[in-house]
Amino acid sequence: MIILEYILGRYALFVKHYADKCASVSEEDLKYNIAVFSRIISSNSDAVREFILDGY
């Protein structure tokens, strides 16, 4: 699940970077995204596994 958190966090920061017209991403943004995705994935780990096994 850590790989999924990493991918989602990286994608979210990429989108934020370009949505803000290439503004820099702060450390607080990174921490916020890690916390949010960790909570989502850990509370729905069975649903995430099913989603991955069903081929998205």
XYZ file of all heavy atoms in Angstrom:
454
model
N 0.806 -1.193 0.000
C 0.000 0.000 0.000
C 0.860 1.272 0.000
O 0.411 2.298 -0.430
C -0.925 0.019 1.214
C -2.001 -1.035 1.191
S -3.067 -0.830 -0.231
C -3.497 -2.481 -0.537
N 2.074 1.168 0.470
C 2.930 2.349 0.509
C 3.234 2.857 -0.896
O 3.358 4.059 -1.111
C 4.220 2.078 1.321
C 4.980 3.368 1.587
C 5.131 1.102 0.594
C 4.351 4.232 2.616
N 3.316 1.947 -1.846
C 3.573 2.364 -3.227
C 2.393 3.175 -3.756
O 2.577 4.197 -4.422
C 3.864 1.141 -4.120
C 5.173 0.503 -3.694
C 3.900 1.525 -5.582
C 5.449 -0.821 -4.329
N 1.192 2.738 -3.445
C 0.002 3.464 -3.885
C -0.049 4.855 -3.259
O -0.371 5.831 -3.927
C -1.250 2.666 -3.536
C -2.570 3.204 -4.033
C -2.561 3.349 -5.556
C -3.700 2.284 -3.615
N 0.303 4.953 -1.977
C 0.354 6.262 -1.321
C 1.366 7.174 -2.012
O 1.104 8.359 -2.222
C 0.732 6.104 0.150
C -0.334 5.473 0.998
C 0.118 5.273 2.422
O 0.972 6.044 2.905
O -0.380 4.343 3.052
N 2.513 6.619 -2.334
C 3.562 7.395 -3.003
C 3.086 7.901 -4.363
O 3.251 9.075 -4.688
C 4.817 6.532 -3.161
C 5.887 7.180 -4.008
C 6.674 8.190 -3.493
C 6.081 6.787 -5.329
C 7.652 8.788 -4.269
C 7.054 7.382 -6.111
C 7.831 8.377 -5.578
O 8.788 8.979 -6.349
N 2.479 7.027 -5.140
C 2.014 7.407 -6.478
C 0.929 8.472 -6.388
O 0.954 9.463 -7.124
C 1.525 6.172 -7.249
C 2.709 5.263 -7.566
C 0.790 6.562 -8.520
C 2.320 3.897 -8.084
N -0.031 8.279 -5.492
C -1.108 9.262 -5.346
C -0.568 10.607 -4.858
O -0.982 11.664 -5.343
C -2.170 8.744 -4.372
C -3.051 7.628 -4.885
C -3.922 7.082 -3.756
C -3.914 8.097 -6.037
N 0.345 10.563 -3.907
C 0.940 11.803 -3.406
C 1.714 12.539 -4.478
O 1.599 13.762 -4.629
N 2.468 11.802 -5.251
C 3.252 12.418 -6.328
C 2.343 13.031 -7.389
O 2.580 14.137 -7.867
C 4.161 11.351 -6.931
C 5.150 11.870 -7.877
C 6.104 10.762 -8.275
N 6.908 11.211 -9.379
C 8.209 11.135 -9.422
N 8.859 10.605 -8.415
N 8.875 11.584 -10.449
N 1.300 12.315 -7.746
C 0.350 12.823 -8.739
C -0.362 14.075 -8.218
O -0.515 15.057 -8.947
C -0.661 11.741 -9.095
C -1.677 12.188 -10.102
C -1.324 12.373 -11.435
C -2.989 12.442 -9.738
C -2.244 12.800 -12.360
C -3.918 12.860 -10.668
C -3.544 13.035 -11.969
O -4.459 13.465 -12.884
N -0.779 14.055 -6.961
C -1.474 15.214 -6.383
C -0.572 16.444 -6.379
O -1.019 17.554 -6.685
C -1.944 14.892 -4.970
N 0.690 16.254 -6.029
C 1.614 17.392 -6.029
C 1.888 17.892 -7.441
O 2.007 19.096 -7.667
C 2.917 17.010 -5.332
C 2.785 16.775 -3.835
C 4.093 16.247 -3.267
C 2.348 18.031 -3.116
N 1.946 16.984 -8.396
C 2.120 17.366 -9.795
C 0.946 18.225 -10.261
O 1.123 19.284 -10.869
C 2.242 16.104 -10.657
C 2.235 16.374 -12.130
C 3.368 16.838 -12.761
C 1.090 16.146 -12.879
C 3.367 17.085 -14.132
C 1.078 16.387 -14.236
C 2.210 16.861 -14.872
N -0.266 17.785 -9.950
C -1.459 18.528 -10.363
C -1.499 19.884 -9.670
O -1.806 20.898 -10.298
C -2.728 17.703 -10.069
C -3.979 18.533 -10.249
C -2.774 16.473 -10.971
N -1.180 19.934 -8.373
C -1.177 21.205 -7.654
C -0.145 22.158 -8.241
O -0.413 23.344 -8.396
C -0.876 20.978 -6.176
C -0.860 22.268 -5.383
C -0.654 22.043 -3.935
C -0.590 23.288 -3.104
N -1.065 24.513 -3.626
N 1.006 21.643 -8.587
C 2.074 22.461 -9.171
C 1.599 23.136 -10.459
O 1.808 24.329 -10.657
C 3.290 21.571 -9.434
C 4.419 22.244 -10.129
N 5.219 23.168 -9.506
C 4.882 22.136 -11.396
C 6.130 23.590 -10.356
N 5.951 22.977 -11.513
N 0.948 22.396 -11.325
C 0.495 22.969 -12.588
C -0.802 23.748 -12.459
O -1.031 24.685 -13.218
C 0.391 21.887 -13.664
C 1.744 21.605 -14.237
C 2.493 20.535 -13.787
C 2.300 22.448 -15.189
C 3.765 20.307 -14.286
C 3.563 22.225 -15.687
C 4.287 21.151 -15.231
O 5.549 20.934 -15.717
N -1.632 23.420 -11.499
C -2.865 24.180 -11.285
C -2.543 25.578 -10.752
O -3.259 26.534 -11.038
C -3.780 23.457 -10.312
N -1.472 25.677 -9.973
C -1.043 26.974 -9.428
C -0.063 27.679 -10.356
O 0.729 28.506 -9.918
C -0.405 26.785 -8.051
C -1.403 26.362 -7.003
O -2.615 26.517 -7.236
O -0.968 25.871 -5.944
N -0.096 27.324 -11.642
C 0.767 27.929 -12.653
C 2.242 27.805 -12.291
O 2.992 28.786 -12.264
C 0.379 29.374 -12.900
C -1.032 29.496 -13.444
C -1.303 30.891 -13.887
C -2.616 31.154 -14.443
N -3.697 30.540 -14.646
N 2.637 26.563 -11.982
C 4.030 26.196 -11.715
C 4.614 26.864 -10.467
O 5.812 27.114 -10.388
C 4.910 26.471 -12.928
S 4.448 25.466 -14.339
N 3.765 27.120 -9.491
C 4.264 27.631 -8.218
C 4.977 26.489 -7.491
O 4.719 25.322 -7.737
C 3.107 28.145 -7.363
N 5.881 26.849 -6.613
C 6.603 25.799 -5.894
C 5.672 25.114 -4.894
O 4.716 25.701 -4.402
C 7.810 26.381 -5.166
O 7.373 27.306 -4.201
N 5.964 23.866 -4.612
C 5.173 23.073 -3.677
C 5.893 23.089 -2.340
O 7.083 22.791 -2.257
C 5.019 21.630 -4.197
C 4.262 20.786 -3.209
C 4.334 21.621 -5.549
N 5.169 23.437 -1.293
C 5.798 23.546 0.020
C 5.859 22.195 0.728
O 5.193 21.234 0.355
C 5.015 24.533 0.890
O 3.760 23.979 1.235
N 6.652 22.159 1.760
C 6.767 20.947 2.571
C 5.438 20.646 3.265
O 5.075 19.492 3.455
C 7.878 21.135 3.601
C 8.185 19.884 4.392
C 9.360 20.072 5.333
O 10.184 20.968 5.108
O 9.425 19.298 6.297
N 4.702 21.696 3.614
C 3.396 21.513 4.248
C 2.407 20.830 3.290
O 1.606 19.997 3.705
C 2.826 22.856 4.718
C 3.580 23.449 5.873
C 3.611 22.539 7.088
O 2.556 21.972 7.434
O 4.687 22.387 7.680
N 2.465 21.192 2.003
C 1.622 20.523 1.006
C 1.937 19.038 0.947
O 1.039 18.200 0.878
C 1.818 21.137 -0.383
C 1.306 22.553 -0.489
O 0.374 22.911 0.259
O 1.848 23.297 -1.327
N 3.208 18.720 0.969
C 3.643 17.330 0.918
C 3.140 16.570 2.149
O 2.573 15.482 2.027
C 5.164 17.263 0.832
C 5.789 15.889 0.819
C 5.318 15.086 -0.382
C 7.294 16.002 0.818
N 3.321 17.136 3.323
C 2.865 16.483 4.558
C 1.355 16.298 4.558
O 0.852 15.256 4.981
C 3.282 17.311 5.772
C 4.755 17.268 6.051
C 5.088 18.143 7.238
C 6.574 18.174 7.498
N 6.911 19.056 8.626
N 0.626 17.301 4.095
C -0.833 17.222 4.042
C -1.285 16.076 3.125
O -2.142 15.278 3.498
C -1.414 18.551 3.557
C -2.905 18.517 3.383
C -3.745 18.596 4.480
C -3.476 18.402 2.120
C -5.130 18.558 4.335
C -4.849 18.360 1.964
C -5.668 18.441 3.073
O -7.016 18.393 2.907
N -0.686 15.996 1.941
C -1.065 14.941 0.995
C -0.736 13.557 1.543
O -1.519 12.626 1.380
C -0.378 15.154 -0.347
C -1.028 16.250 -1.148
O -2.229 16.437 -1.080
N -0.241 16.978 -1.901
N 0.400 13.405 2.177
C 0.756 12.113 2.764
C -0.261 11.727 3.832
O -0.721 10.581 3.884
C 2.187 12.156 3.338
C 3.204 12.229 2.206
C 2.450 10.936 4.229
C 4.623 12.494 2.669
N -0.636 12.657 4.680
C -1.597 12.362 5.745
C -2.959 11.982 5.180
O -3.577 11.005 5.620
C -1.737 13.567 6.669
N -3.430 12.722 4.204
C -4.749 12.456 3.621
C -4.781 11.099 2.939
O -5.672 10.278 3.190
C -5.141 13.571 2.619
C -6.356 13.165 1.809
C -5.412 14.862 3.359
N -3.807 10.816 2.086
C -3.809 9.546 1.364
C -3.581 8.364 2.302
O -4.136 7.297 2.092
C -2.800 9.558 0.222
C -3.211 10.442 -0.913
C -2.367 11.401 -1.400
C -4.465 10.308 -1.483
C -2.743 12.226 -2.452
C -4.859 11.121 -2.533
C -4.007 12.082 -3.008
N -2.780 8.548 3.335
C -2.578 7.467 4.305
C -3.872 7.120 5.012
O -4.192 5.944 5.206
C -1.525 7.866 5.339
O -0.285 8.024 4.732
N -4.636 8.135 5.393
C -5.926 7.883 6.056
C -6.919 7.210 5.121
O -7.628 6.289 5.513
C -6.504 9.188 6.579
C -5.763 9.730 7.744
C -6.392 10.986 8.274
N -5.493 11.624 9.197
C -5.276 12.916 9.262
N -5.925 13.730 8.457
N -4.431 13.414 10.130
N -6.977 7.669 3.883
C -7.920 7.094 2.919
C -7.581 5.633 2.656
O -8.454 4.763 2.697
C -7.900 7.887 1.602
C -8.511 9.262 1.801
C -8.639 7.133 0.513
C -8.333 10.195 0.620
N -6.329 5.359 2.399
C -5.923 3.996 2.043
C -6.021 3.063 3.240
O -6.481 1.933 3.115
C -4.517 3.998 1.426
C -4.585 4.673 0.050
C -3.967 2.591 1.303
C -3.252 4.916 -0.584
N -5.614 3.517 4.409
C -5.639 2.621 5.566
C -7.058 2.304 6.012
O -7.326 1.200 6.476
C -4.842 3.217 6.722
O -5.451 4.396 7.194
N -7.983 3.229 5.858
C -9.361 2.952 6.273
C -10.134 2.176 5.216
O -11.183 1.616 5.517
C -10.096 4.256 6.604
O -10.221 5.044 5.443
N -9.619 2.117 3.996
C -10.294 1.400 2.912
C -9.381 0.369 2.266
O -9.459 0.140 1.066
C -10.754 2.385 1.831
C -11.797 3.337 2.331
O -12.715 2.930 3.014
N -11.655 4.596 2.004
N -8.527 -0.258 3.053
C -7.531 -1.152 2.469
C -8.159 -2.325 1.724
O -7.653 -2.746 0.688
C -6.563 -1.653 3.530
O -7.258 -2.359 4.539
N -9.277 -2.847 2.216
C -9.942 -3.948 1.501
C -10.474 -3.490 0.151
O -10.353 -4.198 -0.847
C -11.085 -4.523 2.339
C -10.584 -5.237 3.575
O -9.419 -5.694 3.558
O -11.352 -5.338 4.556
N -11.043 -2.307 0.105
C -11.569 -1.770 -1.159
C -10.432 -1.489 -2.140
O -10.577 -1.717 -3.340
C -12.367 -0.500 -0.897
N -9.305 -1.011 -1.642
C -8.161 -0.740 -2.508
C -7.630 -2.044 -3.095
O -7.355 -2.123 -4.296
C -7.042 0.006 -1.734
C -5.772 0.066 -2.551
C -7.502 1.394 -1.354
N -7.512 -3.079 -2.270
C -7.048 -4.387 -2.773
C -7.990 -4.920 -3.842
O -7.556 -5.417 -4.882
C -6.930 -5.383 -1.629
C -5.729 -5.170 -0.777
C -5.544 -6.300 0.216
N -4.556 -5.932 1.203
C -4.832 -5.476 2.416
N -6.074 -5.393 2.817
N -3.877 -5.142 3.242
N -9.296 -4.837 -3.583
C -10.284 -5.312 -4.565
C -10.172 -4.529 -5.858
O -10.231 -5.106 -6.951
C -11.682 -5.179 -3.978
C -12.774 -5.664 -4.875
C -14.140 -5.491 -4.249
O -14.252 -5.558 -3.015
O -15.100 -5.282 -5.010
N -9.991 -3.220 -5.755
C -9.874 -2.368 -6.936
C -8.665 -2.765 -7.766
O -8.744 -2.896 -8.996
C -9.755 -0.916 -6.472
C -9.561 0.081 -7.567
C -10.603 0.427 -8.404
C -8.330 0.680 -7.759
C -10.422 1.357 -9.412
C -8.146 1.614 -8.757
C -9.196 1.950 -9.578
N -7.540 -3.005 -7.114
C -6.315 -3.381 -7.830
C -6.455 -4.772 -8.447
O -6.073 -4.982 -9.603
C -5.107 -3.297 -6.888
C -4.828 -1.837 -6.533
C -3.865 -3.941 -7.516
C -3.790 -1.637 -5.462
N -7.004 -5.706 -7.701
C -7.159 -7.082 -8.220
C -8.145 -7.161 -9.372
O -7.996 -8.001 -10.260
C -7.593 -8.023 -7.093
C -6.532 -8.280 -6.020
C -7.127 -9.108 -4.896
C -5.316 -8.946 -6.604
N -9.140 -6.295 -9.383
C -10.125 -6.295 -10.476
C -9.600 -5.583 -11.711
O -10.292 -5.485 -12.708
C -11.434 -5.638 -10.030
C -12.207 -6.519 -9.058
O -11.900 -7.721 -8.965
O -13.137 -5.999 -8.412
N -8.390 -5.080 -11.660
C -7.773 -4.441 -12.834
C -8.258 -3.013 -13.040
O -8.434 -2.585 -14.167
N -8.437 -2.307 -11.969
C -8.847 -0.905 -11.990
C -10.260 -0.806 -12.475
O -10.805 0.085 -12.887
C -7.899 -0.043 -12.822
C -6.468 -0.142 -12.337
C -5.622 -1.115 -12.842
C -5.988 0.720 -11.388
C -4.308 -1.214 -12.401
C -4.691 0.613 -10.937
C -3.863 -0.349 -11.457
O -2.582 -0.457 -11.032
